Amino acid sequence: MMWQGLLRRKHYYLVMFALISIAVVAFSFIVYKHYERIQARNDAALYEYEMIRLSRVVVVDLLDMETGVHAYLISGEPTTLEAYMVARKMLERDLSGLSGLILRKDPESAGDLYLWIERIRAFRKVLDDQIENRTLERGQAIQLKTFEKQTKEMANIRRLIETNTVKRLIKVRLQAAEAKVERSNFFYTVVIGNVLLIGIVLMGTVTIINLETEFQNRLAAQEASQQRYREVTEGINDGLFEINFLTDEFYCSAAYKAMLGYGPDEIANEAQVMRNLIHPDDRADSDAALRRYMDGSDPVYRNVFRMKHKDGGYRWILSRGVGIGDDFSSFKTMIGTHADITEQKQREEELRQLYADLETFTYITSHDLRSPLVNLKGFSKELELSVTDVTAALKPYEAKFKPEDRKVLDTALKEDIPEALGFIAKGVERMDSLTRAILDLSRIGKRVFTLEKVDAQAVFDKCIGALGYDITHKGIAIDCQPLPTLVTDPIALEQIFGNLLDNAVKYLRPDVPGRIEVSVRETSNDFIFTVADNGRGIDDVDKPKVFEIFRRARNTTEVGGLGLGMAYVKATLRRLSGGIWFESTIDEGTRFHFRLPKRAAVTEPVTPPADDIRVSA
């Protein structure tokens, strides 16, 4: 659980880190985009201002050229043309810079540039013509027409440049307004972004604090649980062990070692050392049980073996454990317990011996009882024959007997002695039936049950066929739901159905039409069969006697039976890990329920002893 908690915390931390990283990157991207837009507007404004400056520089160059030409025209001195030539060179350079800037930054304004150049060339041509005329002395004074043309060209150029400048100033003002909006948006973006970042960081901090608090609480709870676990394990006799199959590390508790008579430091915590303490006859089976659990053949690990005690004797150990790993087929460690069941084993052996002695006693007693019964039966027959012989021998002398003596002889030979012999014969027969029943009941413990797939419907139909005469003669209605196929002993199931149906048929009331209903319901672990009748029912006083041997209900004295049938059914179901119970009401009927467990595996059939026992109730 602690590692799962750490893993969950790690996932939360990674999620929070990812969210914060994404938020920072997104916020940085938004800020960068705002910066780019503002920078672009600043660059555009600088470009416009640079264009305005260069335009004014060009105008200044033109004015300087014009001034130089005017001075030359007035004075006629060649030296005055130096200002013109310098201004002209400056004009060429400034025009080149202006052209490069426009073509590089604003190609769409190239049309205005070409118009400027065309006007400037025309203006420069006018100036050159004036210089040439003055140099050749074609006129001593400035011609008004040429001057007007010069002034007009200069005015056109200045108007074009001023118009372009005004446009650019308007554009700069618009860009300034947009830049102001962008700065305002940038401010709000920064504020909102910081609020979101602070919120995410705060949320992450709160989450981490909650996780840390939860983790600390879980650690405290786990610590308390481990403390309780240590207290519980120290308070019980079971020993704990843990083995790591990857590193061969082995741990066993002090109680584990004390179970074998050793102190905590008297024996090493090594798996091989403990394995060597297992009885040599039990090691192979113990290893096989562990392998079956590890490869998934056995769903649980439960192993019983003997381990050597420090005093040299052996103790019976019940080992149970659970594997821990990535999946069922790759256990990495096993944690389990060892319990000393030596006393339980001794009691089981005592019970086994006692049961064997009881079986032997039952068999011998029944056999020895039958021996004198045979003698009694034989001598009774002899007495019967002797009475016949005596009667025949006395026949010739009957006339000589006195009436009173003849009456005594007739009473003795024809009434008392035959009646006594009849009682002896019935008693012998009854005793013989009881001894046979006791022998049959004792054989249940010796019989080997064979588990195989059995069609319960076929077994039931067979039992109904055996009782067919009584069912037809008494007009009994049989209502049976479809019965399933299950894994059990077929002979045992036939005897269970046979005894229950035989009882139901025998103990029906003569005053109502008989009806027997058989049903079954399935649970997750068992099949539960119900045999119900509308017969005499069982009184509450007699209910505790139903499964006792030689005990019968008081309202069944006129029906034959020994009172062993239900005892036999109960013993058989106990051997099959099942059970039986009933509900009954006087004059309404009885419902017997018996349970048989589901079994997934089917063993190969083994021929059981030929003891098809049917005990009358």
Side-chain angles (χ1 to χ4, degrees):
M1 292 301 293
M2 181 180 72
W3 292 109
Q4 293 176 357
L6 287 173
L7 189 60
R8 285 196 294 270
R9 293 169 64 233
K10 180 180 178 181
H11 288 166
Y12 277 122
Y13 293 157
L14 290 175
V15 169
M16 293 309 303
F17 176 77
L19 287 175
I20 293 174
S21 300
I22 292 172
V24 169
V25 171
F27 181 64
S28 300
F29 179 78
I30 293 172
V31 170
Y32 177 74
K33 285 299 181 182
H34 273 287
Y35 167 76
E36 278 191 333
R37 285 196 294 271
I38 293 173
Q39 189 64 32
R41 296 189 185 283
N42 290 335
D43 291 343
L46 290 176
Y47 165 75
E48 298 297 338
Y49 280 120
E50 181 67 12
M51 286 295 297
I52 292 171
R53 184 187 70 80
L54 289 176
S55 299
R56 294 188 180 280
V57 169
V58 169
V59 171
V60 170
D61 292 337
L62 291 173
L63 291 174
D64 289 342
M65 289 174 62
E66 186 179 29
T67 302
V69 169
H70 287 174
Y72 176 69
L73 291 177
I74 294 172
S75 64
E77 293 293 332
T79 56
T80 58
L81 289 177
E82 292 180 3
Y84 167 76
M85 297 304 297
V86 171
R88 183 169 181 167
K89 291 180 180 179
M90 293 293 295
L91 176 64
E92 293 291 338
R93 186 193 65 186
D94 292 337
L95 277 176
S96 177
L98 181 64
S99 300
L101 182 63
I102 291 176
L103 294 176
R104 188 171 63 253
K105 294 287 188 178
D106 191 12
E108 295 180 356
S109 302
D112 294 336
L113 173 65
Y114 297 146
L115 182 61
W116 290 6
I117 293 174
E118 183 180 353
R119 293 291 184 182
I120 291 172
R121 285 177 179 172
F123 178 71
R124 190 171 55 188
K125 177 71 168 56
V126 171
L127 295 179
D128 289 342
D129 289 344
Q130 287 181 343
I131 293 172
E132 183 179 1
N133 291 332
R134 184 70 176 91
T135 302
L136 296 177
E137 295 184 353
R138 291 176 181 174
Q140 297 295 328
I142 300 175
Q143 295 181 3
L144 180 61
K145 184 177 179 180
T146 302
F147 182 76
E148 288 179 353
K149 184 178 180 179
Q150 172 191 329
T151 304
K152 184 178 179 182
E153 289 295 335
M154 185 62 188
N156 289 334
I157 292 174
R158 293 184 69 174
R159 185 169 59 254
L160 286 174
I161 293 176
E162 289 297 331
T163 301
N164 185 266
T165 299
V166 171
K167 290 180 180 180
R168 293 188 180 279
L169 286 175
I170 293 172
K171 193 174 182 180
V172 167
R173 290 191 183 96
L174 293 175
Q175 289 176 346
E178 291 176 356
K180 183 177 180 182
V181 173
E182 289 291 340
R183 283 194 295 272
S184 178
N185 292 338
F186 179 74
F187 173 77
Y188 292 132
T189 300
V190 171
V191 172
I192 294 173
N194 286 327
V195 170
L196 289 177
L197 284 176
I198 292 172
I200 293 174
V201 172
L202 181 61
M203 182 177 67
T205 303
V206 171
T207 302
I208 292 173
I209 291 173
N210 290 335
L211 287 173
E212 288 293 335
T213 303
E214 181 184 357
F215 181 66
Q216 294 299 327
N217 293 336
R218 288 187 178 182
L219 280 181
Q222 185 178 18
E223 215 30 66
S225 176
Q226 290 178 348
Q227 181 62 30
R228 289 194 299 271
Y229 175 73
R230 286 192 291 267
E231 292 173 356
V232 170
T233 54
E234 290 173 0
I236 62 176
N237 294 325
D238 289 358
L240 303 178
F241 72 88
E242 180 178 356
I243 181 170
N244 189 313
F245 299 114
L246 299 179
T247 62
D248 289 332
E249 295 179 356
F250 181 80
Y251 163 80
C252 59
S253 66
Y256 183 110
K257 298 178 180 179
M259 193 181 300
L260 302 175
Y262 295 97
D265 301 324
E266 287 188 282
I267 189 169
N269 278 344
E270 296 180 8
Q272 189 59 41
V273 172
M274 294 303 172
R275 184 180 181 278
N276 292 336
L277 294 177
I278 299 177
H279 195 286
D281 296 341
D282 298 340
R283 287 176 191 166
D285 291 340
S286 176
D287 293 341
L290 181 59
R291 282 195 300 272
R292 287 195 303 273
Y293 175 66
M294 293 184 67
D295 63 23
S297 300
D298 291 345
V300 296
Y301 174 72
R302 186 181 186 278
N303 199 3
V304 177
F305 48 82
R306 290 165 289 178
M307 293 189 75
K308 192 172 184 179
H309 196 271
K310 185 179 179 181
D311 60 11
Y314 282 90
R315 299 290 189 273
W316 282 99
I317 302 298
L318 170 62
S319 178
R320 289 172 291 192
V322 60
I324 301 173
D326 294 335
D327 53 58
F328 192 79
S329 60
S330 60
F331 292 136
K332 292 180 173 56
T333 62
M334 173 178 277
I335 300 174
T337 62
H338 272 194
D340 188 344
I341 59 171
T342 304
E343 185 176 350
Q344 177 183 338
K345 279 288 185 179
Q346 292 172 349
R347 297 291 180 269
E348 288 177 359
E349 179 61 25
E350 292 174 1
L351 288 174
R352 189 194 65 78
Q353 187 61 45
L354 181 61
Y355 183 73
D357 293 344
L358 182 60
E359 282 189 333
T360 303
F361 173 76
T362 302
Y363 180 80
I364 293 174
T365 301
S366 302
H367 183 273
D368 291 346
L369 283 175
R370 294 190 68 199
S371 296
L373 290 178
V374 173
N375 291 332
L376 282 173
K377 191 173 185 179
F379 285 124
S380 297
K381 191 66 176 177
E382 289 293 330
L383 283 174
E384 186 178 350
L385 294 174
S386 297
V387 169
T388 303
D389 292 341
V390 170
T391 302
L394 290 176
K395 191 72 173 175
Y397 305 100
E398 287 182 355
K400 297 179 181 181
F401 291 152
K402 295 178 180 181
E404 57 271 18
D405 293 334
R406 182 182 295 177
K407 184 177 181 181
V408 171
L409 286 173
D410 288 342
T411 302
L413 295 175
K414 295 181 180 180
E415 296 180 12
D416 294 343
I417 293 176
E419 183 181 11
L421 290 175
F423 286 142
I424 292 173
K426 289 181 179 179
V428 169
E429 185 179 352
R430 175 71 174 174
M431 183 64 72
D432 186 56
S433 298
L434 291 176
T435 54
R436 285 179 181 274
I438 292 174
L439 283 173
D440 290 343
L441 194 59
S442 68
R443 290 194 186 105
I444 297 177
K446 297 180 180 179
R447 179 176 171 187
V448 178
F449 288 113
T450 301
L451 300 182
E452 58 183 82
K453 283 188 176 180
V454 179
D455 185 353
Q457 188 67 54
V459 173
F460 174 80
D461 294 340
K462 182 178 178 182
C463 294
I464 290 296
L467 297 169
Y469 175 79
D470 288 335
I471 292 172
T472 303
H473 179 71
K474 295 181 180 181
I476 302 172
I478 305 295
D479 183 10
C480 179
Q481 294 181 0
L483 302 181
T485 298
L486 67 158
V487 178
T488 188
D489 183 90
I491 297 176
L493 184 61
E494 181 181 346
Q495 291 164 352
I496 293 168
F497 269 131
N499 279 286
L500 290 174
L501 291 171
D502 187 54
N503 279 357
V505 169
K506 286 195 301 186
Y507 298 130
L508 288 171
R509 289 185 294 163
D511 57 330
V512 295
R515 183 175 183 82
I516 299 174
E517 298 178 354
V518 179
S519 60
V520 64
R521 63 184 178 91
E522 184 178 356
T523 67
S524 58
N525 299 315
D526 306 292
F527 288 105
I528 299 177
F529 296 86
T530 299
V531 179
D533 62 63
N534 62 340
R536 307 181 184 199
I538 304 170
D539 195 358
D540 291 341
V541 178
D542 295 324
K543 287 180 180 178
K545 308 173 186 177
V546 170
F547 298 112
E548 297 179 4
I549 60 174
F550 307 134
R551 303 293 295 273
R552 304 182 68 199
R554 291 171 296 176
N555 60 346
T556 61
T557 54
E558 76 278 11
V559 182
L562 300 175
L564 283 173
M566 299 311 297
Y568 178 80
V569 169
K570 183 176 182 180
T572 302
L573 285 167
R574 184 171 58 247
R575 285 287 311 279
L576 292 172
S577 301
I580 185 170
W581 64 98
F582 69 94
E583 307 150 3
S584 185
T585 304
I586 284 291
D587 295 332
E588 292 185 9
T590 305
R591 297 172 62 86
F592 277 97
H593 311 277
F594 69 92
R595 174 181 57 82
L596 283 172
K598 292 181 179 178
R599 294 180 175 90
V602 179
T603 58
E604 291 296 326
V606 178
T607 304
D611 293 334
D612 189 359
I613 305 170
R614 178 66 57 78
V615 182
S616 175

